[in-house]
Amino acid sequence: MRALLQFTLDLFDPPAPAPTRTPKQQQPTHPQPPGADDARQYPPATPLADVLSRVSFIHPRASREVVLGNARVAYEFTRGKRRTIGFVVGAEGLSVRAPRWVALRDVDAAVVEKSGWILRKLSETQQRQDRLEATRIDWKDGVSFPFLGQQVTVRLDPHHAFDGVGAVLDAVAGDGPPTLRLALANNATSVQIRDAAQAWLMRQAKRIFIERLDHFAPRLGVRWQKLSLSNATTRWGSASADGGIRLHWRLVHFRMSVIDYVVAHELSHLRVMDHSPRFWETVESVVPDYELLRRQLKDEAVPRW
């Protein structure tokens, strides 16, 4: 900012008055450009185009700020009981956590040193958020959303109760998408349509997850005890040592092969409660292409509700 301010001042400062010459003074061999003396006193100004094109990544709880290349990065900074400086890039931006004894200048230096990784991750996260926003569902009659990797079209059908379950999925002849008929009035609100579709999806999720858990558990030599549907914001599933399995109900947006990877992943934790090479070997024993499916789970955008 100081460089930009100096650049602006240089544009509007009047030229310096010519010095009074005495008979003994000699004219310089070459004329000097305006502001030549100022250039010796101040560092070069930042090009205006660079300033205007600068991107910003601002964490909502930012307490420190740094310029990395052509990006302004305002990050959340906290201290804690740890041995090294840690970096986390999430949907909100960059978070930096440092030991209590590390000086702030050393934190800033570490951020600059890690700038390549930080900017790449911030850019990837921003692109992912943009993709998610583009998939936001406008809940109304005729809207579509993915179910098991295939688009399903919502239709309001106020004349049927569908045996008390409130919705039914009808296959469509030809190449058209299946239709999810909801027992709602034609003037139903977007919230009512969303809630009815979610209730149907959660019923399908529980049915599908139980089926896949029962399929993979014997092959892995484990026994699961309880299934809970999750709505967590940071993970697709979890497993506890007592045989409890939690799976995010919105996994049903993905293809069955991706669901199988997550189910096998969590069941494998009943044998190996970490992510050691032995754990991944266990997953691979039942899902050989787990690495590809893992990337798909990470890269594919889930509709934003």
Side-chain angles (χ1 to χ4, degrees):
M1 183 62 72
R2 177 178 177 181
L4 176 59
L5 177 61
Q6 184 59 46
F7 176 84
T8 307
L9 291 175
D10 289 345
L11 288 178
F12 294 97
D13 278 350
T20 304
R21 297 196 303 271
T22 63
K24 292 184 180 181
Q25 286 181 314
Q26 295 182 353
Q27 292 289 345
T29 305
H30 301 286
Q32 299 297 309
D37 290 339
D38 292 340
R40 290 191 294 269
Q41 299 176 24
Y42 301 99
T46 303
L48 185 59
D50 288 352
V51 175
L52 296 179
S53 64
R54 180 170 292 163
V55 295
S56 296
F57 300 100
I58 303 176
H59 196 289
R61 296 183 297 279
S63 56
R64 295 189 66 77
E65 182 176 316
V66 65
V67 174
L68 303 177
N70 198 38
R72 171 194 172 205
V73 179
Y75 61 91
E76 178 188 36
F77 176 68
T78 57
R79 293 188 181 274
K81 294 182 179 179
R82 53 180 300 125
R83 295 182 178 181
T84 60
I85 300 174
F87 305 87
V88 175
V89 175
E92 293 183 315
L94 172 65
S95 296
V96 180
R97 188 174 175 86
R100 301 184 186 282
W101 50 267
V102 173
L104 288 177
R105 64 177 179 274
D106 294 329
V107 173
D108 291 338
V111 172
V112 172
E113 182 180 359
K114 199 77 172 179
S115 61
W117 180 88
I118 290 172
L119 293 177
R120 184 175 72 255
K121 290 299 182 181
L122 286 172
S123 179
E124 291 173 355
T125 302
Q126 181 63 58
Q127 291 173 14
R128 179 174 175 80
Q129 291 301 112
D130 291 344
R131 291 198 305 271
L132 286 174
E133 192 60 35
T135 63
R136 183 179 292 277
I137 300 174
D138 182 13
W139 291 104
K140 61 183 180 181
D141 186 50
V143 72
S144 296
F145 62 83
F147 172 64
L148 298 182
Q150 182 180 14
Q151 289 297 313
V152 170
T153 300
V154 172
R155 292 297 180 190
L156 304 185
D157 191 347
H159 303 296
H160 298 280
F162 306 118
D163 298 327
V165 298
V168 66
L169 184 66
D170 289 339
V172 178
D175 297 330
T179 299
L180 178 64
R181 290 191 290 145
L182 302 178
L184 292 174
N186 290 324
N187 62 351
T189 66
S190 60
V191 173
Q192 289 173 321
I193 297 172
R194 181 200 64 195
D195 290 350
Q198 178 175 333
W200 180 83
L201 281 170
M202 293 182 74
R203 288 195 298 272
Q204 304 311 306
K206 186 172 184 178
R207 173 183 62 82
I208 292 169
F209 295 163
I210 290 176
E211 176 187 312
R212 304 318 290 165
L213 285 166
D214 286 342
H215 171 76
F216 282 107
R219 299 177 64 186
L220 288 166
V222 298
R223 179 178 297 178
W224 65 278
Q225 299 295 332
K226 178 183 177 181
L227 168 66
S228 301
L229 296 184
S230 167
N231 197 29
T233 58
T234 58
R235 59 174 60 187
W236 287 112
S238 62
S240 57
D242 62 0
I245 301 292
R246 292 178 62 85
L247 296 171
H248 202 303
W249 64 269
R250 294 192 67 189
L251 278 168
V252 291
H253 288 308
F254 294 94
R255 294 181 296 279
M256 188 64 76
S257 57
V258 176
I259 297 175
D260 281 350
Y261 157 66
V262 179
V263 170
H265 182 118
E266 300 311 331
L267 285 174
S268 295
H269 277 309
L270 300 184
R271 288 180 54 180
V272 186
M273 294 299 289
D274 56 34
H275 288 102
S276 63
R278 178 169 166 259
F279 167 80
W280 292 112
E281 290 171 1
T282 304
V283 176
E284 188 177 26
S285 70
V286 291
V287 183
D289 56 345
Y290 79 89
E291 290 184 346
L292 173 62
L293 298 171
R294 185 185 182 195
R295 287 196 298 269
Q296 291 177 359
L297 181 65
K298 179 180 178 180
D299 295 339
E300 291 184 12
V302 179
R304 185 177 288 268
W305 286 37

